């Protein structure tokens, strides 16, 4: 039965005519599913197959509104179907369903061409929002931790925080979409009756290339995006990669404009990041 | 006095499902509700808004956990990480019992996120009962298994669904979450008398009842949870209460969710049947 569910439906939302081993689907279905007076074995299986595909597609539809807006509903559904055929859910929760979509977009560029770079950045940005929504939070770094370690301090970034570089202002595009749509996230339902419908509304203009650095995080359990200066992004990524505070700053500011008061600016950044709760203790076993 | 050994919480009357569209209303208006049922998986997260909301709800209300992904009928062993998360949540909610479905839904680590019917064989019943015991022993909370609505039956089955349910719960020594709407839906899809089902399950094991709405299609009925409860289901509920005694009852409304007041009003219609019942069952198991 699972084979019938995990194989993509036909364009008419029916089971494929042939089973994976080449036998007729009708024949295989009749071997294990009882027909009724009104429904044949295949039709009974199709109820489940449609329910499966509508459910998982609906989940990606909700989690990746930006990717959907860039590609349009038709191409988005093709991308999502191809993705789910290769990566069916491997978790008890649908929350994790789309975790591999950004990498899949890179692996299968034809599905998003010619906008693959934009679609990929948007997918990374949207997955970062899923992580920020309910990702784990570790104990905050305290004043004592900082004083004890001094210049050798190695801090970790909260697991729910993503800092990313994008070739497009995906944050602005996401906000424009959010203004258009009521919500980015809805609760998954177990009772879907139809494919996600195309919701007709004007799409915001697609972003033009412009390199940005952005943090996706939460505060008071609400999602936020925060633009970062390039040097700030470099410090945060160095910290994330396990560099000491001193080494992270040195790396990030190498070649920076000497006329800028970097000491003052770095101090402001750290105060802001600390107040946002982005820093936590680095686990002895791993990065965070 | 409890109505039965698996329903020793007879002061739990009529509850409703905790759903995202109602969060604000519940937290701000604090309506009088006997208890809320939560979908466990929605709160088996590390942190963030879901747990913040849950904690606020727990300050005011009693909560019972209902799961959708334990898949007692799947061949896979219960996932330890899943069980740990579930147990952690039970400690947080102090749920008096835990329910999940008599179904399968995962195979070889791939998840369908659906509640799939099982072949009703003695071997499958034995396997399923063992898994229920394993989960109960791990989480240390009484378990009620829920009959699912279904759209397919298997040639392989050796008994009726109610015989299968009875065999499983006897072997697992667990309770039943009796979904009378699911019985109705399945009876129409498979052509059996729903009262045969109601009359022939072990009533002393029924710890909770679900009611819900469904949708009629040309050739089958779908368990959509997007309507008020239909009259035939209320009639079955009335009969179930007479058989089982006063039993905690929950209205499921998961799609096209109306206002909180409308959902609550629909749920409270059960009062007319519960109100007439004492803790002890009255009816003889005869067809209505």
């Amino acid at each position: 039965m699972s084979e019938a569910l995990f194989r993509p439906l036909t364009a008419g939302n029916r089971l494929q005519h042939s089973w994976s081993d080449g036998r007729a689907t009708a024949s295989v279905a009749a071997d294990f599913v009882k027909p009724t007076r009104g429904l044949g074995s295949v039709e009974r299986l199709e109820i489940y197959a449609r329910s499966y595909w509508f459910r998982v597609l609906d989940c990606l539809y909700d989690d990746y509104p930006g990717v959907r807006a860039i590609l349009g509903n038709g191409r988005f559904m093709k991308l999502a179907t191809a993705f789910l055929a290769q990566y069916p859910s491997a978790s008890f929760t649908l929350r994790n369903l789309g975790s591999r979509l950004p990498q899949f977009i890179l692996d299968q560029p034809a599905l998003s061409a010619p906008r693959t770079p934009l679609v990929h950045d948007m997918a990374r940005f949207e997955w970062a929002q899923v992580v920020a929504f309910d990702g784990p939070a570790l104990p905050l770094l305290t004043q004592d931790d900082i004083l004890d370690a001094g210049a050798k301090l190695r801090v970790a970034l909260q697991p729910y925080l993503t800092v990313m570089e994008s070739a497009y202002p995906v944050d602005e595009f996401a906000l424009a979409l959010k203004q258009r749509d009521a919500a980015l996230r809805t609760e998954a339902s177990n009772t879907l009756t139809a494919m996600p419908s195309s919701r007709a509304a004007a799409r915001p203009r697609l972003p033009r290339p412009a390199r940005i650095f952005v943090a996706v995080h939460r505060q008071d359990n609400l999602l936020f995006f925060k633009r970062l200066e390039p040097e700030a992004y470099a410090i945060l990524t160095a910290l994330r990669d396990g560099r000491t505070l001193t080494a992270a700053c040195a790396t990030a500011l190498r070649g920076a404009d000497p006329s800028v008061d970097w000491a003052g600016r770095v101090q402001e950044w750290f105060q802001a990041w600390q107040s946002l709760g982005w820093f936590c203790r680095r686990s002895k076993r791993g990065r965070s | 006095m409890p109505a039965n050994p698996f329903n020793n919480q007879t002061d739990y009357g009529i509850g409703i499902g905790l759903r995202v569209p109602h969060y604000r209303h519940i937290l701000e208006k604090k309506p009088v509700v006997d208890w809320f049922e939560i979908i466990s998986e929605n709160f088996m997260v590390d942190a963030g808004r879901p747990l913040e909301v849950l904690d606020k709800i727990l300050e005011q209300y009693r909560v019972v956990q209902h799961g959708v992904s334990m898949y007692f009928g799947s061949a896979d062993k219960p996932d330890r990480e899943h069980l740990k998360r579930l147990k952690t949540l039970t400690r947080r909610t102090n749920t008096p019992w835990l329910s999940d479905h008599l179904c399968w839904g995962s195979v070889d680590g791939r998840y369908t996120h659906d509640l799939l019917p099982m072949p009703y064989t003695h071997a499958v019943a034995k396997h399923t009962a063992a898994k229920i015991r394993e989960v109960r022993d791990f989480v240390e909370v009484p378990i009620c298994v829920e009959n699912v609505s279904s759209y397919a039956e298997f040639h392989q089955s050796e008994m009726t669904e109610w015989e299968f349910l009875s065999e499983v719960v006897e072997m697992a020594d667990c309770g039943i979450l009796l979904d009378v709407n699911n019985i109705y839906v399945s009876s129409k899809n498979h052509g059996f008398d729903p009262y045969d089902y109601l009359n022939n399950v072990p009533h002393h094991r029924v710890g909770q009842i679900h009611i819900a709405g469904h949708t009629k299609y040309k050739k089958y009925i779908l368990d959509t949870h997007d309507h008020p409860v239909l009259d035939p289901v209320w009639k079955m509920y009335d009969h179930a209460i007479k058989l089982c005694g006063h039993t905690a009852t929950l209205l499921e409304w998961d799609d096209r969710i109306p206002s909180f007041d409308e959902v609550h009003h629909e749920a409270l219609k059960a009062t007319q049947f519960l109100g007439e019942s004492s803790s002890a069952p009255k009816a003889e198991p005869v067809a209505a």
Side-chain angles (χ1 to χ4, degrees):
Chain A
M1 186 171 182
S2 60
E3 187 174 330
L5 301 188
F6 289 126
R7 296 184 76 202
L9 301 169
T10 66
N13 292 328
R14 308 292 304 265
L15 285 178
Q16 295 184 31
H17 290 298
S18 299
W19 207 251
S20 57
D21 60 6
R23 286 180 294 164
T25 296
S27 164
V28 178
D31 282 347
F32 68 100
V33 177
K34 282 185 189 174
T36 63
R37 210 180 305 163
L39 287 173
S41 303
V42 170
E43 287 174 295
R44 299 188 100 184
L45 269 184
E46 277 174 346
I47 295 172
Y48 285 102
R50 277 195 289 268
S51 175
Y52 168 74
W53 280 98
F54 294 174
R55 178 175 293 109
V56 289
L57 287 171
D58 191 66
C59 176
L60 294 183
Y61 186 98
D62 281 345
D63 282 349
Y64 287 99
V67 171
R68 177 162 42 89
I70 295 165
L71 288 175
N73 280 323
R75 290 198 75 197
F76 177 80
M77 285 301 176
K78 281 183 185 161
L79 170 74
T81 302
F83 169 70
L84 292 165
Q86 187 164 337
Y87 296 110
S89 175
S91 166
F92 70 90
T93 169
L94 283 168
R95 183 263 193 204
N96 299 327
L97 186 68
S99 63
R100 292 165 136 183
L101 186 63
Q103 184 59 45
F104 181 80
I105 288 164
L106 283 187
D107 294 343
Q108 302 288 338
L111 292 167
S112 53
R115 298 202 168 103
T116 302
L118 171 59
V119 172
H120 177 241
D121 279 357
M122 195 72 226
R124 289 164 57 221
F125 183 68
E126 294 190 313
W127 179 250
Q129 292 171 55
V130 174
V131 172
F133 181 70
D134 59 11
L138 297 178
L140 296 178
L141 198 69
T142 65
Q143 205 89 30
D144 288 344
D145 295 327
I146 298 169
L147 292 174
D148 289 349
K152 291 181 182 173
L153 180 65
R154 290 176 197 269
V155 301
L157 304 185
Q158 288 288 4
Y160 64 76
L161 166 69
T162 299
V163 290
M164 61 176 278
E165 177 181 356
S166 171
Y168 297 86
V170 287
D171 53 346
E172 290 175 358
F173 187 63
L175 288 171
L177 281 174
K178 196 171 182 181
Q179 283 171 353
R180 189 195 67 170
D181 300 333
L184 281 173
R185 295 184 61 85
T186 59
E187 185 174 79
S189 167
N190 278 321
T191 54
L192 295 173
T193 55
M195 273 290 194
S197 59
S198 56
R199 296 165 193 172
R203 181 186 70 180
R205 184 186 294 270
L206 290 182
R208 294 175 185 277
R211 196 162 73 132
I212 64 156
F213 302 91
V214 63
V216 183
H217 67 110
R218 69 170 180 251
Q219 192 172 21
D220 297 330
N221 290 324
L222 296 175
L223 283 182
F224 288 95
F225 320 140
K226 181 178 172 61
R227 282 282 179 101
L228 302 168
E229 292 178 54
E231 293 80 7
Y233 169 78
I235 291 173
L236 287 167
T237 50
L239 292 174
R240 187 184 60 195
D241 293 343
R243 312 290 291 272
T244 63
L245 208 53
T246 308
C249 292
T251 304
L253 299 177
R254 190 176 300 138
D257 181 354
S259 65
V260 175
D261 173 19
W262 289 111
R265 191 169 290 186
V266 168
Q267 191 177 3
E268 283 174 18
W269 289 340
F270 273 84
Q271 280 173 350
W273 298 338
Q274 178 74 358
S275 69
L276 289 168
W278 289 3
F279 296 137
C280 53
R281 287 181 208 162
R282 179 166 290 277
S283 134
K284 286 174 185 168
R285 294 174 59 194
R287 281 184 172 181
S288 55
Chain B
M1 176 180 150
N4 65 59
F6 295 90
N7 180 6
N8 60 2
Q9 303 286 346
T10 49
D11 65 328
Y12 278 65
I14 298 162
I16 58 175
L18 182 67
R19 299 293 179 262
V20 172
H22 296 157
Y23 282 178
R24 178 174 289 179
H25 178 92
I26 296 165
L27 295 175
E28 287 179 0
K29 307 285 183 187
K30 298 181 172 47
V32 175
V33 180
D34 200 14
W35 55 284
F36 282 108
E37 184 183 80
I38 63 165
I39 302 297
S40 298
E41 287 75 4
N42 291 347
F43 300 93
M44 288 162 64
V45 294
D46 293 298
R49 174 91 174 133
L51 292 179
E52 180 193 6
V53 170
L54 178 61
D55 286 343
K56 285 180 180 167
I57 293 291
L58 286 167
E59 287 172 10
Q60 301 275 337
Y61 299 99
R62 300 185 294 188
V63 162
V64 175
Q65 283 180 229
H66 180 55
V68 293
S69 66
M70 191 51 72
Y71 300 140
F72 293 123
S74 287
D76 305 342
K77 294 276 290 176
D79 178 77
R80 282 278 144 171
E81 183 57 31
H82 185 179
L83 286 178
K84 282 181 193 168
R85 282 179 179 267
L86 184 61
K87 187 169 184 174
T88 300
L89 186 63
T90 64
R91 297 299 182 264
R92 193 177 200 121
T93 64
N94 201 26
T95 184
W97 69 89
L98 188 67
S99 61
D100 209 311
H101 299 83
L102 189 60
C103 71
W104 71 280
S106 60
V107 58
D108 297 332
R110 293 181 299 170
Y111 288 76
T112 67
H113 303 283
D114 204 349
L115 311 171
L116 303 175
M118 295 186 286
Y120 305 134
T121 70
H122 296 291
V124 171
K126 189 176 172 185
H127 163 83
T128 305
K131 203 161 163 182
I132 293 168
R133 282 179 177 272
E134 185 179 346
V135 173
R136 182 190 55 209
D137 291 348
F138 188 93
V139 297
E140 299 177 297
V141 174
I143 286 179
C144 289
V145 291
E146 177 181 353
N147 56 296
V148 297
S149 53
S150 62
Y151 314 97
E153 295 174 297
F154 302 107
H155 291 303
Q156 203 184 343
S157 289
E158 299 163 348
M159 59 188 111
T160 63
E161 185 186 332
W162 55 93
E163 287 168 342
F164 180 77
L165 170 63
S166 303
E167 187 163 320
V168 168
V169 297
E170 292 295 343
M171 280 197 284
D173 193 20
C174 70
I176 296 173
L177 194 178
L178 193 68
D179 191 317
V180 291
N181 179 60
N182 286 352
I183 294 174
Y184 180 80
V185 169
S186 295
S187 75
K188 292 300 174 192
N189 290 337
H190 305 316
F192 63 77
D193 182 344
Y195 288 89
D196 282 346
Y197 198 130
L198 276 184
N199 289 335
N200 289 292
V201 293
H203 305 120
H204 65 286
R205 291 189 180 275
V206 176
Q208 185 185 334
I209 293 178
H210 270 174
I211 48 176
H214 56 255
T215 303
K216 290 178 184 173
Y217 289 89
K218 199 174 171 185
K219 293 183 176 178
Y220 59 93
I221 293 183
L222 205 57
D223 181 27
T224 46
H225 297 184
D226 62 352
H227 282 83
V229 181
L230 277 79
D231 285 343
V233 176
W234 280 125
K235 201 174 159 194
M236 287 175 59
Y237 174 70
D238 183 21
H239 190 67
I241 290 297
K242 285 175 178 149
L243 292 169
C244 304
H246 183 109
T247 305
T249 298
L250 180 114
L251 170 70
E252 294 183 295
W253 202 320
D254 298 317
D255 207 1
R256 291 187 232 168
I257 301 174
S259 71
F260 175 88
D261 287 336
E262 192 173 333
V263 173
H264 198 198
H265 175 74
E266 182 67 17
L268 291 176
K269 289 179 184 172
T271 309
Q272 62 186 297
F273 308 106
L274 267 187
E276 293 168 2
S277 73
S278 67
S279 57
K282 284 176 183 169
E284 291 297 315
V286 291

